[in-house]
Amino acid sequence: MTDALSLVDDWGPEKIVVVTHRRTGMKGVLVIDNTARGMGKGGTRMSPTVTVDEVARLARVMTWKWASVDLFYGGAKAGIVADPASRDKEAILRAFARALSNEVPREYVMGLDMGLTESDAAIIQDELGDRGAAVGTPEHLGGVAYDKLGVTGYGVAEAADAAAQRQGLPLTGARVAIQGFGAVGSAAAQRFTQLGATVVAVSTAHGALHDPSGLDVEALLASREEHGDHFVTRHGPGTTLASGAELTVDCDVLVPAALQDVIDHATAHEIKAKLVVEGANLPTSPEAQGILAQRGITVLPDFVANAGGVVAAAFAMDARYSGFRPDTTAIFETISTRLRANAVTVLDEAERRDATPHAAGRALAEQRVRAAMKSKGRIARD
């Protein structure tokens, strides 16, 4: 069991709240990492394997992500230890929201992460009787439909394009392999195709599909819609591979857009891509980042590449109490502008510092957070 106090460092967490409810069996945790630049904002996930340590790591990623994209919210994350397929999901979710009514929405606003849907966000609002308690609600309730719009995946491809151009690797004709074909991976695949790239591999929990000459992304999307994830990688044109094999196929750009901790020491030695763009949170271990740097492979960090979701979330936060829906055109334009510029800024800083992009990007984010902490008297002023 994680000792919560062992997680505390110079940045946070500021608050760790563990909640339970005996009748529903609900167990959950909220980690508010650092609010120097604004109130805590980050997704809420539901999984049988959620841990305090996991949620704390993700809350810290949110601290750097908000600062990196220069939006004024703080890092936070929440997790519920439950199976999202459980028939008791709604009761568990309502118990979780009630247990955190002191913090939500005054200190933390719930959002969508693994295991939660737009309807779940609506349930949270309903349980607390406050439209401000959660974002990510369905469009018919005035929410920003992140998954339908594909904002995170769109941003991943935009950031990848900017990074590739900086490296002298035009995305037109570039071969892209994507781990994951969910909300992020599929939207990224669509945008990569629109930008002229060739998607050569995708994967789901049921396996991977690889075709060096290119996959028909729209056909795969239609197949998934009609038959489900299992059909995508087993019945389309191309070669079926074991899950994880898509990470090491021959390609120019690799996008891990599914799970964390998938690129480790061993995998880092096998990757053939010239550019790795982190669509998922924490997909590459620190050791692997160093190995890839030594091999001359650029890694665009998660808090830069997948920040399209937080840009959209910022629009949603502003619109929580509004009678008007956010302008989707403005959302996409802002995602493209901010993520493209930030990708180049971070890679330039990495070159200047002779450091990995993760280290350079984090240093830039730390400067912004530290400045806010000093201004508010949370740390000593120079």
Side-chain angles (χ1 to χ4, degrees), residues 34 37-41 63 66-67 71-75 313-314 317-318:
N34 188 299
R37 287 173 55 89
M39 67 176 296
K41 179 69 193 80
T63 295
W66 285 118
L71 292 170
F72 294 96
Y73 292 104
M317 288 288 285
D318 279 351

Side-chain angles (χ1 to χ4, degrees), residues 96 142 151 195 342 361:
F96 183 69
V151 289
L195 292 170
N342 205 29

Side-chain angles (χ1 to χ4, degrees), residues 95-142:
F96 183 69
R98 287 196 305 274
L100 290 176
S101 59
N102 287 335
E103 287 76 24
V104 178
R106 187 171 61 87
E107 297 179 64
Y108 170 68
V109 174
M110 294 188 184
L112 302 183
D113 200 333
M114 181 175 66
L116 293 193
T117 67
E118 292 175 355
S119 294
D120 296 325
I123 286 169
I124 292 167
Q125 287 187 352
D126 183 64
E127 181 61 33
L128 296 181
D130 191 332
R131 284 183 61 193
V135 296
T137 53
E139 277 186 296
H140 59 261
L141 291 178

Side-chain angles (χ1 to χ4, degrees), residues 187-253:
Q190 284 184 295
R191 186 57 180 161
F192 274 118
T193 300
Q194 292 167 358
L195 292 170
T198 300
V199 177
V200 297
V202 299
S203 70
T204 71
H206 303 280
L209 186 66
H210 176 230
D211 188 341
S213 64
L215 299 169
D216 186 336
V217 172
E218 292 303 321
L220 292 176
L221 288 168
S223 177
R224 184 187 66 177
E225 181 69 22
E226 184 175 357
H227 302 290
D229 280 353
H230 69 282
F231 202 86
V232 171
T233 58
R234 301 191 181 196
H235 298 278
T239 303
T240 301
L241 305 175
S243 295
E246 71 279 2
L247 294 170
T248 57
V249 300
D250 192 16
C251 63
D252 301 302
V253 180

Side-chain angles (χ1 to χ4, degrees), residues 171-195:
L171 210 55
T172 301
R175 299 162 301 157
V176 181
I178 303 173
Q179 182 182 59
F181 202 62
V184 177
S186 61
Q190 284 184 295
R191 186 57 180 161
F192 274 118
T193 300
Q194 292 167 358
L195 292 170

